[in-house]
Amino acid sequence: MNGHRGFSVLRSEAAGAVRTALVSAENLQLTLKTELSQEEQHLTPHTNGGPDETHTKGYCTEVNDDLKEMLESNKESLKLEAMKRVVGLIAKGKNASELFPAVVKNVASKNIELKKLVYVYLVRYAEEQQDLALLSISTFQRALKDPNQLIRASALRVLSSIRVPIIVPIMMLAIKEAASDMSPYVRKTSAHAIQKLYSLDQDQKELLIEVIEKLLKDKSTLVAGSVVMAFEEVCPDRIDLIHKNYRKLCNLLVDVEEWGQVVIISMLTRYARTQFTSPWKEDGVFDEHSERAFYESDEEKTRDETEAKPYMMDPDHRLLLRNTKPLLQSRNTAVVMSVAQLYWHLAPKNEVSIVTKSLVRLLRSHREVQYIVLQNIATMSIQRKGMFEPYMKSFYVRSTDATHIKSLKLEILTSLANEANISTILREFQTYVKSQDKQFAAGTIQAIGRCATNISEVTDTCLNGLVLLLSNRDVITETVVAESVVVIRKLLQTQPTQHSDIIKHMAKLFDNITVPMARASILWLIGEYCERVPKIAPDVLRKMAKSFTSEEDIVKLQTVNLAAKLYLTNSKQTKLLTQYILNLGKYDQNYDIRDRTRFIRQLIVPNDKNGALSKYAHRILLAPKPAPVLESAYKDRDRYQLGTLSHTINTKASGYLELSDWPTVAPDLSVRDVEVIEPLKEWAPSLGKTGKSKPAKSSDEKFYSDSGEEEKGSGSSEDGSSSSSSEESGSDAESCVEKNSSQSSEESDKSSSQSEKSSSESDSERKKRKTKTPLQKKTVKPTAKDGDSDENGNVAKEASSSSAEESSSDSESDSDTHTDSDSGTEHKKKTKSKAKPKVEVQSTKEVSLLDLGDFTPAPVTQLKSSVLSPSLLGDLEGLSLSNVSSTIQVSGPAFVPEKSHDLLHRMTGKGLSAQYQFPRQPCLYQPTMVSVQISLTNTTDHPLEQIHIGDRSPTGLNIHCFNTIECLEPDASVTVFMGIDFNDSTQAANFQLCTKEDHFSVSIQPAIGELFLPITMTELDFRKEQGKLLGMNESSATITMAAENMTSQPISRPVATVANLGVVPSGQDNVHRFAGKTASSGAVVLVTVELRESSTALITINTEKSVMGSMLLRDLKQALAQA
């Protein structure tokens, strides 16, 4: 009875509402139905259904009846409470569409709060209840003139939500009026309505473009993001609408809401690619190491400069980069990602790295954010490894990471691998192989294979390690075994002639391997290289003939292939086996195997019908196959814009707008000329701390490290003025670079003349400091990057023992960005320390998110020893440094070669000649350095003055320079010593050898053997250390030695010539042992030469530095094989 009574009441009210709306309906020429609507019919109670359903419907009906009574009440308070409950139901996901007739009657209420809630409800259900919503359209039109801006905006929002083509003219008129509204909130809503109207009727495009053009001129930050979104939806190709508003959008960007920032940055990225020339051309113009011909005339030099004009960045291009840079500190991850993709696609290559730290910071967010950020980093790291290499430890896999996050981190670590860090990465991979996540463990094996392919020095090491990994059946899973076999097969294809032993070893493991893919890969290997294992291949075929019927299909196919190949190469032993296997395959259940068997039989067994084809069987089956290329899955994703959905799914998504190529000729610059809007300067202090003694460029480099100080405002006034003045003085970074480089060169000329004096002063100051009573000490490990140094680059070793009062803020709070500073910045700091050597600065280091451990670049020195789990096989467990025995000590060199190398030719050096050699003595300046002896000769007829060391590269190179030579007379020579920390790498040390008038770029390239220090140890200690360095830490090769080198003395001589190693006493006549350690990290290097029969010898090298071990093995093989 209650249900029937409620329905009759509702019907009478709905009939009254219909009569009220007839006038508006006639004006709109709409035909309205007077029968019950679908929503009204839903209110009729149904008798069918179970007891639970009936109870639920009864409860909902009672709730709806109560809400209807409250909405029909005469009291505004009851209506307001009812609408709050209705909106609450909507927020919880409940269906409140049955209340539409009761709610729509209150649309004309004078209560503003009630009207707001009614509009919220109508926006939700207007599209579903179009007929009923049309009844109130006249009310919406009146509300567009309401004095309250919220009511006007809500009415426009509801009106645009009614998806009926017949009211398009009314919507168009409302949008035009709202675009001229005094309230920016209403104008913002009109921009949102543009997109709804365009999706409803695309014929209105031209009229909507006029509205968009008008709204683009709006100066309100509230409107900017919404109108740009409308522009992107309606007319993204109308770039001409952006010209006059480009600078305004750039300047307003920092104050737009976060959603709008993302949209505007995306649009401006596309715009810039069509209006500016490529900034990547400048890489070929400014080259620090380019040298002109010695006798080039000034006329030729001038002509070349006019022909090769340096790249000058458009001021508007620089404006975009400068105004988006502060947004890297945004709390919104989408904004940071947008700025990162803008810099990737638009910035000069030397400026892209400033986004690195921000992207790494985002890895602390939720896993959904991590996934997107890691995908973009994976794409970036393929092209520019140097960007993320200092933050490599941020990509180490954590046990709590999801599988897809682990896979992405693994991809990035593989892309970052190079000769310098491969040892660390392989040690990390060693742990990942033991993971319980089978998919991740298999991916690790693939990553090891890619590293072995990309870095030839560790190919043999990885290959041997994977083969030994197969031998341990207790730890690894079948998935890892299968993946290891597949990767080994791919690696063997690159150089099969050198690895017949590995093929034999895998054939022996064949019986224990059960994974079909792994068994098939081994069979393919044996068949492909059956001529290199002639004794093993027939036996493997015999075993497969026994188990053929029980094998998987993929294994059966490879067994048939193996039988065919052996029939062609060794028919005497395998003819009957081949016929037996072909007969089994002929009646197999799988039609692929039956077809393959018939094809093989006709191909290899000649008869009258196929005699012509049989002649080519050997060329068909045993043709050389190209080695597979192991590439990253993200190699080709850079064709999509970073941060887009298309980039994430690696497929062009609907609505994706491609980035155009850079124009070869810059378009007309005057199209953007309008009245100048003063750039916003509120963000200037956030560009970083800028000390008085540092150039303006340091504000870019120190963008993040002092966010804690910025929040508290310490020194913000000075910093703000200096950073803003640096922006105003020169908008182009190139001009700043040129200015800094010119200043640094001038200052180097001035400071070099006083080097001896300043170095003596610094020594005296150190002595004074040592005599003081030490206060509470703060441990600071000085390196070449963050320690104090004098103007010649000599590292101050006493930095760790200085007091807390004397430790400056630069050495602590700026350590993160110190490695990125250019040579000009370093030189200004040095000049400052020389001019004011006793200035003391007290500072307390602020702790901020960006100063945490993950953001400090990876240290150059090797990691200390760590205890690894013994669960993995012992052959792979020696990858970390072990504690060296106390009986191991550095000894003198066994042999010092007298060979010298040209450092500077007298023609190139304008009469100054320089040669260098390695004396193989421990460096006096710093234990991690390699001592280098340099001989300087003056071949001119006039004295050469002020000979010293100038700028060096790479920037963080640690060099102890020789003191300035004031004067070198004609035909005179002088010998000086330098100390260079090569960081356990054969990378050349580049620096400038300067005189008073000239600068010459020179390079010292160390041989791998010069990076070691000889050590003495007993044979017992040698064996103990060797036992810790097996598996991937071991490299070996068998060579045929020259007859002259088969005795003890001749063996020691070539080994000592190649490498600075010490001789270890040996109790065996045919085994010779040598030991040393790397100068920089102290990693132990053990060399064993075992003489065998037939003038052969086995050379084994054990060291954690896998790359260095491979390079040393190559040199020793060459030296011992020669007479």
Side-chain angles (χ1 to χ4, degrees):
M1 293 296 293
N2 291 335
H4 286 289
R5 188 187 312 109
F7 175 72
S8 59
V9 173
L10 177 62
R11 181 168 181 173
S12 61
E13 293 172 353
V18 169
R19 286 193 297 271
T20 305
L22 282 178
V23 178
S24 299
E26 288 175 356
N27 293 336
L28 294 172
Q29 298 180 354
L30 296 178
T31 302
L32 300 179
K33 298 179 181 179
T34 56
E35 61 266 16
L36 288 176
S37 66
Q38 183 179 3
E39 289 72 20
E40 292 172 332
Q41 292 175 4
H42 282 321
L43 297 176
T44 305
H46 300 281
T47 56
N48 54 351
D52 294 338
E53 183 180 357
T54 305
H55 175 73
T56 303
K57 287 186 175 181
Y59 175 75
C60 293
T61 303
E62 292 179 3
V63 172
N64 290 339
D65 288 343
D66 292 342
L67 291 175
K68 288 173 187 175
E69 291 180 3
M70 294 174 69
L71 289 170
E72 293 165 1
S73 172
N74 295 327
K75 295 183 179 180
E76 295 290 338
S77 59
L78 290 178
K79 292 182 179 180
L80 188 60
E81 180 64 26
M83 283 309 304
K84 289 180 179 179
R85 293 185 184 180
V86 171
V87 174
L89 290 175
I90 296 175
K92 294 178 181 178
K94 302 292 181 62
N95 183 14
S97 59
E98 296 179 357
L99 300 172
F100 195 94
V103 173
V104 79
K105 290 194 304 182
N106 294 289
V107 74
S109 173
K110 295 182 180 180
N111 188 311
I112 294 179
E113 295 299 324
L114 179 61
K115 186 179 290 188
K116 288 179 185 178
L117 295 175
V118 171
Y119 280 142
V120 170
Y121 178 89
L122 293 178
V123 169
R124 170 65 181 83
Y125 289 107
E127 189 170 353
E128 299 177 11
Q129 312 277 348
Q130 295 176 0
D131 292 341
L132 291 176
L134 284 172
L135 299 178
S136 303
I137 199 167
S138 60
T139 307
F140 301 147
Q141 289 179 288
R142 287 196 301 270
L144 291 173
K145 307 292 185 182
D146 195 276
N148 190 312
Q149 59 176 352
L150 298 178
I151 300 300
R152 296 199 301 272
S154 299
L156 180 59
R157 191 178 295 113
V158 175
L159 191 62
S160 60
S161 299
I162 304 176
R163 314 281 295 172
V164 179
I166 198 171
I167 66 167
V168 166
I170 296 178
M171 291 174 61
M172 189 70 234
L173 181 62
I175 290 174
K176 284 185 176 180
E177 292 180 354
S180 303
D181 197 281
M182 295 182 62
S183 169
Y185 180 69
V186 179
R187 300 198 297 271
K188 175 188 178 74
T189 307
S190 69
H192 293 166
I194 289 174
Q195 304 166 57
K196 297 181 181 179
L197 180 55
Y198 180 72
S199 63
L200 180 63
D201 184 8
Q202 297 188 1
D203 294 336
Q204 305 293 323
K205 181 175 181 179
E206 295 302 324
L207 294 175
L208 291 175
I209 290 177
E210 294 179 3
V211 181
I212 291 174
E213 185 176 7
K214 180 178 181 180
L215 288 174
L216 280 172
K217 299 176 182 178
D218 201 307
K219 298 181 180 180
S220 173
T221 56
L222 199 62
V223 183
S226 302
V227 67
V228 170
M229 188 66 216
F231 170 82
E232 292 281 80
E233 289 287 333
V234 179
C235 52
D237 55 335
R238 288 291 303 273
I239 297 295
D240 57 293
L241 299 179
I242 306 297
H243 289 324
K244 300 294 183 182
N245 304 290
Y246 171 80
R247 294 169 185 168
K248 180 195 69 178
L249 289 174
C250 289
N251 289 322
L252 294 180
L253 191 57
V254 292
D255 292 326
V256 178
E257 79 276 7
E258 294 167 343
W259 174 83
Q261 288 173 345
V262 175
V263 176
I264 294 175
I265 291 173
S266 177
M267 184 273 294
L268 292 180
T269 303
R270 289 194 308 107
Y271 177 86
R273 286 293 286 261
T274 62
Q275 300 300 311
F276 308 127
T277 56
S278 173
W280 303 331
K281 299 177 183 177
E282 63 178 322
D283 295 350
V285 177
F286 302 108
D287 190 359
E288 295 179 358
H289 308 297
S290 61
E291 297 182 7
R292 295 191 175 273
F294 173 59
Y295 18 77
E296 183 179 8
S297 63
D298 294 337
E299 291 79 5
E300 292 175 346
K301 192 180 300 183
T302 306
R303 184 167 60 252
D304 290 346
E305 290 176 354
T306 56
E307 291 175 357
K309 294 182 179 179
Y311 169 79
M312 297 298 294
M313 181 176 284
D314 190 303
D316 289 329
H317 191 173
R318 175 57 61 189
L319 175 69
L320 175 60
L321 295 176
R322 187 172 64 244
N323 284 14
T324 52
K325 184 178 178 181
L327 298 180
L328 287 172
Q329 289 181 318
S330 174
R331 63 181 180 180
N332 189 293
T333 55
V335 175
V336 177
M337 192 65 246
S338 297
V339 178
Q341 66 85 23
L342 180 139
Y343 266 79
W344 177 260
H345 293 297
L346 301 182
K349 292 183 178 180
N350 61 334
E351 298 183 25
V352 178
S353 58
I354 69 170
V355 306
T356 305
K357 191 174 291 186
S358 296
L359 291 177
V360 173
R361 171 172 63 90
L362 298 184
L363 297 181
R364 297 176 178 272
S365 189
H366 306 292
R367 64 174 57 180
E368 295 82 7
V369 174
Q370 290 183 42
Y371 178 69
I372 300 298
V373 173
L374 286 171
Q375 275 196 328
N376 288 275
I377 292 177
T379 302
M380 294 179 178
S381 61
I382 293 175
Q383 295 186 18
R384 300 177 190 172
K385 297 183 180 180
M387 282 180 60
F388 297 96
E389 187 178 351
Y391 307 96
M392 189 174 65
K393 69 177 182 178
S394 298
F395 304 108
Y396 286 173
V397 174
R398 294 181 172 88
S399 59
T400 55
D401 288 336
T403 302
H404 60 283
I405 300 296
K406 292 179 181 177
S407 301
L408 281 170
K409 288 185 174 181
L410 194 64
E411 178 72 31
I412 295 172
L413 286 175
T414 308
S415 299
L416 297 180
N418 55 34
E419 297 178 1
N421 58 26
I422 186 63
S423 299
T424 305
I425 290 179
L426 286 179
R427 182 169 58 248
E428 192 73 13
F429 286 172
Q430 167 194 335
T431 308
Y432 300 164
V433 171
K434 298 180 292 185
S435 173
Q436 298 299 319
D437 188 338
K438 296 181 180 180
Q439 180 181 349
F440 173 57
T444 303
I445 300 296
Q446 294 178 4
I448 293 175
R450 276 182 54 197
C451 291
T453 304
N454 298 335
I455 305 174
S456 58
E457 288 81 1
V458 297
T459 301
D460 295 343
T461 302
C462 293
L463 199 52
N464 294 331
L466 290 175
V467 172
L468 293 174
L469 189 64
L470 297 177
S471 304
N472 186 13
R473 305 292 303 157
D474 299 330
V475 177
I476 57 177
T477 62
E478 292 184 347
T479 307
V480 175
V481 172
E483 203 62 47
S484 300
V485 172
V486 174
V487 171
I488 289 172
R489 175 180 64 80
K490 294 178 180 179
L491 292 178
L492 286 180
Q493 283 184 258
T494 60
Q495 41 188 358
T497 57
Q498 305 174 14
H499 300 293
S500 58
D501 293 339
I502 293 180
I503 299 176
K504 294 178 183 177
H505 182 73
M506 295 180 68
K508 294 177 183 178
L509 296 173
F510 184 77
D511 294 337
N512 297 326
I513 295 176
T514 59
V515 180
M517 178 59 72
R519 292 173 67 85
S521 296
I522 294 178
L523 290 175
W524 185 91
L525 270 177
I526 296 174
E528 186 69 16
Y529 307 111
C530 55
E531 297 177 351
R532 296 188 177 86
V533 284
K535 297 181 180 180
I536 295 178
D539 190 57
V540 173
L541 184 64
R542 177 184 60 81
K543 293 180 180 179
M544 290 307 302
K546 288 183 179 181
S547 60
F548 184 85
T549 55
S550 61
E551 297 287 349
E552 294 289 337
D553 293 341
I554 188 174
V555 182
K556 290 179 181 179
L557 288 173
Q558 291 302 328
T559 304
V560 173
N561 288 343
L562 174 62
K565 292 175 182 178
L566 288 177
Y567 182 87
L568 295 175
T569 58
N570 190 4
S571 59
K572 291 182 180 180
Q573 289 181 292
T574 59
K575 184 175 181 180
L576 294 176
L577 279 174
T578 302
Q579 291 178 355
Y580 176 70
I581 290 175
L582 291 179
N583 288 332
L584 290 175
K586 182 178 180 180
Y587 300 103
D588 195 87
Q589 294 181 356
N590 189 292
Y591 56 82
D592 285 336
I593 298 174
R594 296 197 300 269
D595 292 344
R596 176 70 63 85
T597 303
R598 294 189 186 98
F599 166 71
I600 293 295
R601 186 187 297 275
Q602 296 296 319
L603 182 62
I604 65 175
V605 181
N607 54 39
D608 297 337
K609 297 181 180 179
N610 65 343
L613 187 61
S614 298
K615 294 188 298 183
Y616 303 102
H618 197 282
R619 294 174 60 184
I620 292 174
L621 292 175
L622 294 174
K625 281 83 173 175
V629 180
L630 301 177
E631 294 181 340
S632 170
Y634 291 82
K635 181 181 179 183
D636 298 326
R637 290 208 183 190
D638 56 351
R639 65 181 184 273
Y640 298 114
Q641 184 177 351
L642 295 185
T644 59
L645 176 63
S646 298
H647 177 269
T648 302
I649 63 177
N650 200 22
T651 304
K652 187 174 181 179
S654 176
Y656 173 72
L657 301 174
E658 294 186 358
L659 284 178
S660 60
D661 295 330
W662 294 100
T664 54
V665 180
D668 184 15
L669 305 180
S670 61
V671 294
R672 291 183 294 276
D673 289 342
V674 289
E675 57 176 333
V676 179
I677 300 176
E678 194 67 18
L680 299 177
K681 297 182 181 179
E682 290 80 6
W683 280 78
S686 66
L687 291 176
K689 291 187 67 175
T690 306
K692 295 181 180 180
S693 63
K694 301 179 183 178
K697 185 176 179 182
S698 64
S699 64
D700 293 345
E701 298 164 350
K702 307 221 18 194
F703 181 46
Y704 306 95
S705 58
D706 297 323
S707 60
E709 283 101 352
E710 290 169 8
E711 293 177 1
K712 293 191 175 183
S714 60
S716 59
S717 59
E718 291 185 13
D719 300 340
S721 60
S722 60
S723 60
S724 60
S725 63
S726 67
E727 288 185 9
E728 294 172 0
S729 62
S731 61
D732 292 341
E734 286 75 12
S735 60
C736 297
V737 172
E738 293 174 0
K739 185 184 298 183
N740 291 341
S741 61
S742 62
Q743 290 176 359
S744 63
S745 62
E746 293 174 4
E747 291 176 5
S748 63
D749 293 338
K750 296 177 182 178
S751 62
S752 59
S753 61
Q754 303 175 4
S755 59
E756 290 181 325
K757 180 179 178 180
S758 62
S759 60
S760 61
E761 289 176 359
S762 61
D763 291 339
S764 62
E765 290 170 10
R766 292 169 188 165
K767 293 178 180 179
K768 292 178 182 179
R769 287 201 296 266
K770 289 181 180 179
T771 58
K772 294 180 181 180
T773 303
L775 299 175
Q776 184 179 358
K777 296 183 179 179
K778 187 178 185 67
T779 57
V780 179
K781 295 183 179 180
T783 64
K785 296 182 178 181
D786 57 7
D788 296 330
S789 59
D790 58 20
E791 64 274 7
N792 280 331
N794 300 331
V795 177
K797 302 177 185 177
E798 288 78 17
S800 61
S801 61
S802 60
S803 64
E805 292 182 355
E806 293 175 351
S807 62
S808 65
S809 60
D810 288 339
S811 64
E812 293 182 13
S813 62
D814 301 342
S815 61
D816 284 348
T817 58
H818 200 55
T819 58
D820 299 330
S821 60
D822 54 41
S823 59
T825 307
E826 290 180 357
H827 208 87
K828 290 190 179 184
K829 291 178 182 177
K830 296 167 188 173
T831 309
K832 161 108 176 166
S833 63
K834 170 184 162 185
K836 299 179 180 181
K838 296 184 179 181
V839 174
E840 298 180 359
V841 181
Q842 293 183 351
S843 64
T844 58
K845 182 176 179 180
E846 299 290 342
V847 178
S848 66
L849 175 65
L850 298 179
D851 285 331
L852 294 178
D854 278 358
F855 300 97
T856 56
V860 176
T861 56
Q862 190 65 29
L863 297 174
K864 298 299 180 184
S865 63
S866 59
V867 180
L868 299 177
S869 173
S871 58
L872 191 58
L873 68 161
D875 299 292
L876 289 178
E877 276 187 347
L879 286 175
S880 59
L881 276 178
S882 18
N883 292 326
V884 182
S885 173
S886 59
T887 60
I888 301 175
Q889 298 178 352
V890 177
S891 63
F895 174 75
V896 180
E898 298 180 356
K899 182 181 178 181
S900 59
H901 311 271
D902 284 336
L903 181 65
L904 181 65
H905 193 269
R906 59 185 180 86
M907 295 296 293
T908 308
K910 298 183 180 180
L912 177 61
S913 171
Q915 291 185 322
Y916 71 92
Q917 67 182 60
F918 296 93
R920 293 190 173 180
Q921 297 292 339
C923 185
L924 300 176
Y925 312 117
Q926 194 167 327
T928 59
M929 290 184 174
V930 176
S931 182
V932 182
Q933 177 180 323
I934 299 179
S935 299
L936 302 171
T937 305
N938 182 3
T939 62
T940 64
D941 55 356
H942 59 83
L944 295 177
E945 299 179 351
Q946 302 294 331
I947 302 176
H948 63 280
I949 300 297
D951 296 336
R952 66 205 73 174
S953 68
T955 307
L957 185 65
N958 187 4
I959 296 181
H960 187 286
C961 310
F962 58 84
N963 290 332
T964 302
I965 301 173
E966 296 294 341
C967 182
L968 185 61
E969 297 297 332
D971 297 328
S973 298
V974 64
T975 300
V976 293
F977 288 88
M978 293 177 59
I980 303 177
D981 189 349
F982 287 101
N983 246 346
D984 291 346
S985 170
T986 56
Q987 182 180 4
N990 303 307
F991 55 91
Q992 287 188 339
L993 188 60
C994 307
T995 63
K996 188 175 183 179
E997 293 84 11
D998 299 296
H999 304 267
F1000 307 105
S1001 295
V1002 295
S1003 175
I1004 293 181
Q1005 178 78 46
I1008 186 64
E1010 305 299 340
L1011 303 179
F1012 305 134
L1013 294 176
I1015 59 177
T1016 58
M1017 62 170 63
T1018 63
E1019 184 177 0
L1020 181 62
D1021 288 334
F1022 186 96
R1023 292 178 181 274
K1024 181 180 178 182
E1025 295 297 328
Q1026 191 177 35
K1028 302 175 184 178
L1029 297 170
L1030 299 177
M1032 290 188 180
N1033 295 325
E1034 182 176 273
S1035 304
S1036 61
T1038 302
I1039 63 169
T1040 302
M1041 295 185 59
E1044 295 83 350
N1045 294 336
M1046 290 300 294
T1047 59
S1048 176
Q1049 185 62 27
I1051 285 182
S1052 302
R1053 183 61 178 268
V1055 172
T1057 303
V1058 170
N1060 186 19
L1061 300 173
V1063 180
V1064 177
S1066 175
Q1068 300 166 278
D1069 294 336
N1070 65 327
V1071 179
H1072 306 278
R1073 296 182 174 89
F1074 307 88
K1077 69 174 184 177
T1078 59
S1080 182
S1081 63
V1084 176
V1085 181
L1086 307 177
V1087 177
T1088 306
V1089 180
E1090 181 180 354
L1091 302 180
R1092 295 183 174 180
E1093 298 177 355
S1094 304
S1095 299
T1096 60
L1098 174 65
I1099 305 175
T1100 305
I1101 298 178
N1102 301 87
T1103 179
E1104 188 186 60
K1105 298 289 185 178
S1106 308
V1107 176
M1108 301 182 74
S1110 300
M1111 298 174 69
L1112 179 59
L1113 179 62
R1114 179 192 60 199
D1115 292 350
L1116 288 177
K1117 285 166 58 178
Q1118 183 178 1
L1120 292 175
Q1122 295 176 352

